[in-house]
Amino acid sequence: MKKVITTVGTSLFSNYFDTTKNSDIDSSLKNHYKMLEDKTYSEYENNKERSDRIKSKIQQWVNNNPYASAEISSIHKTKEEFKDEDIEVYLLATDTILSFLSAEIIKEYFENNHIKGIEVYFNPKYDVILDLQVKEFNKFENGKNNLINKISNLMEMFFKDEKKFEKKMKLLRKNVLFNITGGYKGIIPIMTILAQLYECKIIYKFEESDDLVSIPRIPINFDPILTESLFIDLWFKREDNNHNFKNEDKLKEYGFIDKDNKITALGKLFYKISEFKQAISENVFGYYVEYKVLEYLYNENKSFEHSCKKFGREFDFVFKDENEIFFEIWEVKSVFRIIKDLDGVINQIKEQLKILPSIVKYKLVLYGLDERIRDKIKANVLEIKKEIFEKKYPKIQFDPTFLLIKGLGKIKEQNKKDNPYKVLFKNSLKKEDFKEI
């Protein structure tokens, strides 16, 4: 089933008055329309009688004009394109009486006509986006945040029974469409950014044609190093409100923090998605670090196997003695892995040690871009030591180590270099880079 997030404008009214502009009967309605043009949704109750009159008249007209608005036309065309699937339409109105009325008329049009395979949802209590208007810039900034929060909440609700974030993202990518046909032009860039973040398709119908334009997701991924740096800054801020951003200018440039250094709705969404794509998953950046450790071990002339899979489990590095007997394990992980998924790390180590219970040493290499995070993970490391090495394997030496990836924590420092990836690969790790936790 396709889920279509649809922003709602006021083309219903402009189309109606364009069609009936020579009719004396509608002159009073046009006056009502003019009176409502600048009214926010909060003023609806004081304008209910006027609103009800214009809504009633236009509802009659819409029932005889199934392509009366950009939103209705685009919903029809979307169903035509996905004729073998049902579609759920989620209407989002701006903070105006007219957009609210449009959304109600659209919803009731599809309900009253019992159009098979189309279910339309609109609840003004939740789906009128507060402050999303174009008269006052400061309000629009707040409205923009509210719109981002609303869509983020919708995405959380969609496929809520799927607990694994990666699978949920795949479901969203396959089944959610962003319909930007209606609504303010100023909303289009926001909706486009959100669609790209969630890797969803965008649809748009030209009012003058029957064509439905489809804009697929662009095959562009997160920059792992840049994202990791920004993620860490936001993480520190969430942990400590007095945190001073290392990358304040860049965070503001991307709209992740506001002028008062508060995390914006877009910043929260970036954090949520990058938490999956970067910090606690087996991401690209993690493999970069693992291969730098591999280089270091080769330079140290150690005898080991990399990505060892001989025992039904995978080990990053397993060391052998002269008799080809495994005696030491190294595991390389992001510091955020043990912050966000401590139980998962503990279970992984337990499973590894079931296979190799006779090893002498277990080295956990936790990498990060900021030295300050080393202190933040001490409690987590102690928990690993207590739950595994004190309770079950007291003879195995546990060696938790922090590996600082130098020179990449600050975006300014990254930008001074020709290429941060070049810096990462060119600079070899040294023994002193591995610090005891």
Side-chain angles (χ1 to χ4, degrees):
M1 178 180 288
K2 291 289 185 282
K3 300 176 186 298
V4 187
I5 299 173
T6 301
T7 50
V8 178
T10 57
S11 64
L12 262 179
F13 300 99
S14 56
N15 290 349
Y16 171 78
F17 289 113
D18 284 344
T19 304
T20 61
K21 59 185 176 183
N22 296 321
S23 171
D24 293 334
I25 299 174
D26 293 306
S27 59
S28 62
L29 284 178
K30 195 160 190 177
N31 289 332
H32 290 315
Y33 168 71
K34 291 291 184 184
M35 291 291 292
L36 295 174
E37 270 190 309
D38 295 326
K39 303 292 185 186
T40 63
Y41 176 63
S42 63
E43 299 173 277
Y44 169 67
E45 289 299 328
N46 293 333
N47 293 272
K48 191 174 186 309
E49 184 178 349
R50 180 179 287 113
S51 299
D52 289 347
R53 284 190 61 190
I54 196 169
K55 176 184 173 183
S56 176
K57 187 66 177 179
I58 291 182
Q59 269 186 319
Q60 297 172 31
W61 176 74
V62 168
N63 286 331
N64 296 316
N65 293 272
Y67 292 88
S69 78
E71 297 85 0
I72 292 175
S73 298
S74 62
I75 293 168
H76 278 299
K77 294 300 292 185
T78 303
K79 184 65 186 82
E80 287 176 22
E81 183 170 319
F82 299 99
K83 56 189 174 197
D84 297 328
E85 293 186 69
D86 291 345
I87 66 171
E88 294 178 345
V89 179
Y90 295 82
L91 302 178
L92 300 181
T94 58
D95 190 7
T96 62
I97 290 177
L98 290 178
S99 182
F100 154 69
L101 291 175
S102 292
E104 285 214 319
I105 292 168
I106 292 165
K107 179 178 184 289
E108 290 167 15
Y109 161 79
F110 284 101
E111 288 177 345
N112 295 337
N113 286 279
H114 306 291
I115 299 173
K116 187 178 179 181
I118 300 176
E119 188 76 29
V120 179
Y121 297 92
F122 177 71
N123 183 336
K125 184 177 178 181
Y126 305 106
D127 301 332
V128 174
I129 311 302
L130 181 67
D131 288 338
L132 193 61
Q133 46 77 56
V134 294
K135 300 297 181 184
E136 298 179 49
F137 177 75
N138 288 337
K139 281 192 172 182
F140 178 78
E141 283 293 294
N142 188 49
K144 180 179 70 175
N145 278 338
N146 292 335
L147 175 63
I148 293 169
N149 281 328
K150 174 61 186 178
I151 290 180
S152 180
N153 291 337
L154 277 176
M155 293 304 215
E156 286 289 325
M157 181 190 76
F158 296 155
F159 312 110
K160 61 185 177 182
D161 293 335
E162 178 53 68
K163 302 303 180 187
K164 291 188 176 180
F165 192 78
E166 185 175 6
K167 288 185 178 179
K168 182 164 183 167
M169 287 293 286
K170 287 180 180 178
L171 288 170
L172 294 174
R173 182 165 62 240
K174 182 180 179 182
N175 296 291
V176 177
L177 306 171
F178 281 62
N179 180 7
I180 60 172
T181 305
Y184 296 130
K185 289 181 180 178
I187 294 174
I188 293 176
I190 303 166
M191 297 293 284
T192 303
I193 290 170
L194 294 176
Q196 291 300 326
L197 278 173
Y198 282 109
E199 301 180 356
C200 295
K201 186 184 290 187
I202 300 169
I203 55 174
Y204 179 87
K205 183 187 175 297
F206 287 108
E207 293 184 42
E208 295 82 6
S209 88
D210 289 331
D211 297 322
L212 190 69
V213 178
S214 176
I215 306 172
R217 64 188 182 93
I218 301 172
I220 296 175
N221 209 340
F222 282 58
D223 178 325
I225 293 177
L226 175 63
T227 301
E228 197 87 5
S229 300
L230 297 177
F231 179 90
I232 287 172
D233 240 352
L234 294 174
W235 182 83
F236 271 115
K237 186 68 171 179
R238 288 161 64 97
E239 292 288 307
D240 177 9
N241 197 47
N242 295 318
H243 168 68
N244 294 317
F245 291 114
K246 275 191 174 183
N247 303 295
E248 181 179 331
D249 291 344
K250 189 61 71 172
L251 288 165
K252 284 181 177 175
E253 179 185 332
Y254 289 134
F256 295 159
I257 60 174
D258 61 21
K259 58 183 175 59
D260 298 319
N261 282 3
K262 293 181 179 178
I263 302 174
T264 64
L266 186 60
K268 291 174 183 176
L269 180 56
F270 164 80
Y271 183 92
K272 183 189 299 182
I273 294 176
S274 61
E275 186 174 31
F276 157 69
K277 286 187 171 288
Q278 297 300 126
I280 66 169
S281 64
E282 293 183 355
N283 54 77
V284 175
F285 186 48
Y287 287 116
Y288 291 162
V289 177
E290 186 176 321
Y291 276 91
K292 291 308 294 180
V293 175
L294 176 65
E295 177 193 44
Y296 165 78
L297 291 172
Y298 272 128
N299 291 336
E300 291 286 305
N301 295 316
K302 303 284 189 181
S303 177
F304 63 90
E305 283 192 28
H306 175 230
S307 295
C308 179
K309 299 178 181 177
K310 287 186 177 180
F311 308 102
R313 301 284 304 182
E314 182 171 353
F315 303 80
D316 290 343
F317 303 96
V318 183
F319 296 81
K320 301 176 183 177
D321 61 18
E322 63 275 6
N323 298 316
E324 293 292 304
I325 296 174
F326 294 110
F327 70 94
E328 184 173 342
I329 295 172
W330 281 32
E331 278 293 319
V332 181
K333 297 186 183 301
S334 163
V335 289
F336 285 103
R337 185 67 186 273
I338 70 163
I339 289 172
K340 297 295 182 182
D341 188 25
L342 180 60
D343 289 340
V345 172
I346 288 174
N347 289 333
Q348 180 186 350
I349 296 173
K350 284 180 178 177
E351 290 300 315
Q352 289 177 325
L353 294 180
K354 280 182 185 177
I355 296 165
L356 293 177
S358 60
I359 63 162
V360 176
K361 185 177 180 180
Y362 191 102
K363 190 179 188 73
L364 182 61
V365 180
L366 299 168
Y367 67 86
L369 303 186
D370 194 311
E371 175 72 37
R372 293 172 297 174
I373 209 164
R374 183 177 166 196
D375 292 331
K376 295 281 187 180
I377 58 175
K378 285 183 177 178
N380 302 66
V381 169
L382 286 172
E383 184 69 16
I384 293 172
K385 183 178 181 180
K386 176 183 174 183
E387 285 297 313
I388 300 174
F389 297 96
E390 291 181 357
K391 285 186 177 180
K392 290 182 174 290
Y393 301 98
K395 292 183 179 180
I396 297 176
Q397 178 188 350
F398 178 48
D399 182 18
T401 303
F402 178 73
L403 173 60
L404 176 66
I405 309 301
K406 296 177 180 176
L408 298 178
K410 285 187 179 180
I411 308 298
K412 284 183 180 179
E413 291 176 12
Q414 292 183 25
N415 291 340
K416 288 177 185 176
K417 316 295 183 184
D418 293 335
N419 184 318
Y421 295 88
K422 182 179 177 181
V423 174
L424 178 65
F425 281 100
K426 190 175 180 180
N427 295 333
S428 297
L429 297 176
K430 297 179 175 59
K431 190 172 184 178
E432 53 266 28
D433 293 329
F434 296 85
K435 300 182 184 298
E436 183 182 351
I437 298 175

